[in-house]
Structures are given as C-alpha cells and as structure tokens.
Amino acid sequence: MTLEIRPHGHVGAEILGVDLARPGAADLAQIRAAFAQYGVVFFRDQAIDEQQHIAFARTIGPIVINRFFVAHPRYPEIALVLKEPDQRDNIGGGWHTDHSYDAEPALGSVLVARELPASGGATAFGSMVAAYEGLPDDLRARVDGARAVHSARHVFGSKAGAYEAARDTSRDGRIGNAGAADVLDDVVHPVVITHPLSGKRALYVNPAFTTAIVGLEADESRALLDALYAHALNPRFQEVFHWQPGSVALWDNRSTWHYAHNDYHGHRREMHRITIEGEPLP
Ligand code: SIN
C-alpha cells in the first residue's frame, strides 16, 4: 500500500497510514525514501513500546548508544530526554545536530513522545540543505572546500559551561560521563557535505558542537561561523513540530538541525531517543 506523505511546511514530511509497531517491507522502503528526501519525517497516533521503538530504529541502521545522556533503566539503547516539573533547563534547548563531535557522526535519531506537557515542548527543525542552497555567493565561496572542528568537551566535559543548558542538566544528573567527553578527541568534518542518502549538498556546522573553521584565526573563524548561523537561522529554512501523544519523529542529523523549546516550566516532558550509527562524511 502506498503511504500518504504530506510535506510539513518548510522542513520535513508527515507520513500517514503506517503502524510503526509492525511496518511492512514496502512501508519501510517508502519511509526511507521520504527520510532521504525531506530530512525529517513525523508519525502520529503510534502505539509503540520500547522494544518496538528499538526494532524500528534498527530498520534504519545500527544503534549507537549516547555516552552522555542517562539511559532508560531497562533499555540502554534508549536515551532519556527528560525535564521534570522542578527543573528549569531542558536537554537540546539550543540549535544543534546530534553527535557531530563523532568521527562518524550519527545518521539520525528516532524520538518518541512518552509524556508531554499540556502545552509547549515543541521541537523546531531547520533544513541545512535549504540553508546551503540559499547561501549568498560570497559565503558559499568561503565554505566550499572548508573544514570545521567539532567537539563535545565544552558541552559535556567537566569544564562545560559554554552551553548552559547542558551544564545545568549535568548538575541534576540528566547528563553525565563528563570524563568521557574530556578525553574525546576533536574531529574535523567538511563545512559542506554531500549527503550520503540524497547526494544533495548540506551545511554541516552547528552552534552547539562546531568550535572552529580549520586554518582561520580565531576571530575570523568565529565571524564566519556567526555569519553562517545567522543565515541558517532564517525562518524560511525552519518548521516547528508540535508533539501529541503517539507522535514519533525520525530526523537526519546530517541534513537538519533541531531545537527543543523550553516553554513548559512546572510540567513534565519525557521523550525517548534512539540514535542511529552514521559514517564518515564526504
Ligand atoms: C534532542 O535534542 O535530541 C531532543 C529534542 C526534543 O526533546 O525535542
């Protein structure tokens, strides 16, 4: 059966007519094709348990376990993205792409809503394919062929502080393992990648984990990154996804950024995230 695929504003697509608890081979082929085309796909009204979440993620690729997030007590493959009513800072409350600090950055993530606040707690997505395609000529000329350094130390390490939400979430135990971040080597990726699934060019730097452009003086590197971020944050490259009970999102970490809104203080939000292994980026 052909699934219904509805584009979701500027970024992503909603996929209707599939049960993620038992997707057939034809469903999975259509989901993979839409994922490659749109960068993020959304599903509604799903009733999947943790094992079905893991099984669905494995249809996309092998699972990579996040070293810094607290894991689900029974399923280490699942990272908890949690904010309790008495906590102020959320996880993912800044524009980023997961795991760009890895030599083989994660392909994508599958996020399942488990408990939602009555309002708020949406997630915004940005298309880095659209951002690259919309780059003014002068900026494009500066980034084609350039390479950038990515790091986890300033976010998850023991001296973290550049990324306030991560520092506060580590204080209350939602993020840990700072020692592992301290010894993680920085990695270098192209500033513009050729996407492994779609073959499209995409901007691959992000405000959370990219620390410098290789070969530039610190102030020049900062200025270029700031110019790229100012451009990439144009609302015409973004769309917000409003979660409901049963919502699931599968996003591509190589072609999108995301940002978890933190506008539901006093309420609980629990999401389950599985991250899928990637490959070196061309
Ligand atoms: C994340 O950044 O991985 C979590 C996004 C969210 O909680 O909406």
Side-chain angles (χ1 to χ4, degrees), residues 132 135 138-146 191-192 203 224 228:
Y132 175 73
L135 272 179
D138 57 329
L139 266 183
R140 188 182 293 213
R142 295 183 67 195
V143 295
D144 277 331
V191 173
V192 179
L203 200 56
L224 179 52
L228 292 171

Side-chain angles (χ1 to χ4, degrees), residues 95-97 100-101 150 204-211 225 229 257:
W95 285 104
H96 66 285
T97 187
S100 75
Y101 48 79
H150 297 244
Y204 193 73
V205 286
N206 70 89
F209 299 119
T210 308
T211 54
L225 287 172
Y229 299 155
W257 287 354

Side-chain angles (χ1 to χ4, degrees), residues 81 92 96 98 111 123 251 258 260 269 273:
V81 178
H96 66 285
D98 305 329
L111 193 70
T123 307
W251 65 77
H258 58 281
R269 180 178 186 268
R273 194 181 93 184

